Amino acid sequence: MKSLEDLNALKQKSLDELKLRESKDSVRIVVGVGTCGIAAGAREVVGAFLEELAKRNISDVSVTQTGCIGLCVKEPLVDVVIPGQPTVTYGNVDASKARQIVAQHVVNGLVVGEWVVNKL
Amino acid sequence: MHELSLHILDLLQNSAEAGASRVSLVVTEDTPQNLLAIYVEDNGKGIAEEMLEKIADPFTTTRTSRKVGLGLALLKATAESCGGNLEISSQPAVGTKVSASFRLDHIDLPPLGNIAATIMVFLTGRSGMVFSYRHCRDGKEYEFSSQGDKRLSEHPEFLIKVRGIIEAGIKSLK
């Protein structure tokens, strides 16, 4: 990936894939990126989620961000929202846990109980 | 915060929180003038005058859920401990400008850190955000801009490539 042409080609490929995502309810990963989240490592966590999703070629999961939700001691906090299932909040997530959450929860549907701080 | 780029992410998040659709980031490193400066400008909802006076106070926040707001307080402390300062000007309904300066050779100056990762994370999921970044280092310049394509901000592979492009751009300034 060196030039603008490469980026434009990737843009078209990405848009085509995203059309598929828009046609159905998608899974969402929401990371807390407030001041507390950032200080605790949320930037690396978002990066790890993006890398893991890209590596597995998963395009129907979106990664979004939210601010501080008031549980700063457990930051970085991550919500995994799968339509039709309870929203699961993981606490003290780091890059390695993020990759495991993708593999175990997002792909295989198994909640990683050890890191859960809340289930709604 | 152990890197200035984490403070930058915090400032960018503030802009997004203020409803901005257009955000610009400028980083200037000027060795002859011994100055490192960070500027963030947005077209968000702005800050009322009475709030502006106490904005860097750690016990000031617009949140109602609790009474602390540490982001700007931490940045101000870092800037002042490095021989610089933090300035914020804002006009309600027009936007806000934040500038932070640091003495480039100050022993306590944190590293700039990974600005490319900061920008990638900021753009993640922010559909419609028009963002520009300019980095000047001793006369050399690198620019990146994103026109806020609604869907690309959600595509992992694209965001990772954007990070790579910015990393290469910053490296070219050396």
Side-chain angles (χ1 to χ4, degrees), chain B:
Chain B
M1 307 251 186
H2 56 279
E3 288 180 6
L4 291 178
S5 60
L6 293 175
H7 284 291
I8 293 174
L9 179 56
D10 201 20
L11 291 176
L12 297 174
Q13 297 285 11
N14 283 349
S15 294
E17 197 78 17
S21 59
R22 202 171 269 277
V23 178
S24 83
L25 164 67
V26 178
V27 177
T28 307
E29 294 172 77
D30 191 331
T31 312
Q33 289 202 44
N34 196 17
L35 176 75
L36 168 65
I38 295 165
Y39 306 95
V40 173
E41 188 170 349
D42 69 50
N43 68 346
K45 65 184 174 189
I47 305 163
E49 207 172 320
E50 60 271 20
M51 178 57 97
L52 208 51
E53 287 165 15
K54 49 183 183 179
I55 193 123
D57 177 344
F59 298 101
T60 294
T61 180
T62 52
R63 278 188 298 234
T64 48
S65 50
R66 63 210 160 275
K67 292 179 178 171
V68 291
L70 297 179
L72 290 169
L74 289 173
L75 178 57
K76 187 169 191 263
T78 304
E80 288 178 354
S81 70
C82 297
N85 62 19
L86 174 72
E87 283 174 19
I88 301 166
S89 62
S90 184
Q91 220 178 318
V94 176
T96 301
K97 289 181 196 175
V98 178
S99 63
S101 64
F102 310 82
R103 229 179 71 198
L104 199 52
D105 69 352
H106 200 286
I107 196 164
D108 290 329
L109 183 71
L112 256 179
N114 196 341
I115 296 182
T118 282
I119 294 173
M120 174 185 76
V121 169
F122 173 64
L123 294 176
T124 298
R126 298 226 187 276
S127 54
M129 177 66 76
V130 177
F131 173 75
S132 71
Y133 164 55
R134 189 153 58 91
H135 195 135
C136 314
R137 183 180 283 157
D138 295 332
K140 287 186 179 175
E141 264 193 39
Y142 170 69
E143 277 191 58
F144 168 85
S145 66
S146 156
Q147 293 309 306
D149 188 299
K150 194 177 169 207
R151 291 163 293 183
L152 291 177
S153 63
E154 292 182 14
H155 201 279
E157 196 185 348
F158 191 82
L159 289 160
I160 289 167
K161 297 292 181 197
V162 163
R163 179 180 64 185
I165 286 169
I166 297 172
E167 267 167 11
I170 296 173
K171 216 178 253 182
S172 74
L173 296 174
K174 281 185 180 156

Side-chain angles (χ1 to χ4, degrees), chain A residues 40 45 72-78 90-94 97 115 117:
Chain A
V45 169
C72 308
V73 72
K74 292 283 184 188
E75 292 280 3
L77 286 159
V78 171
Y90 292 104
N92 298 123
V93 177
D94 58 20
K97 287 178 181 172
W115 308 328
V117 292

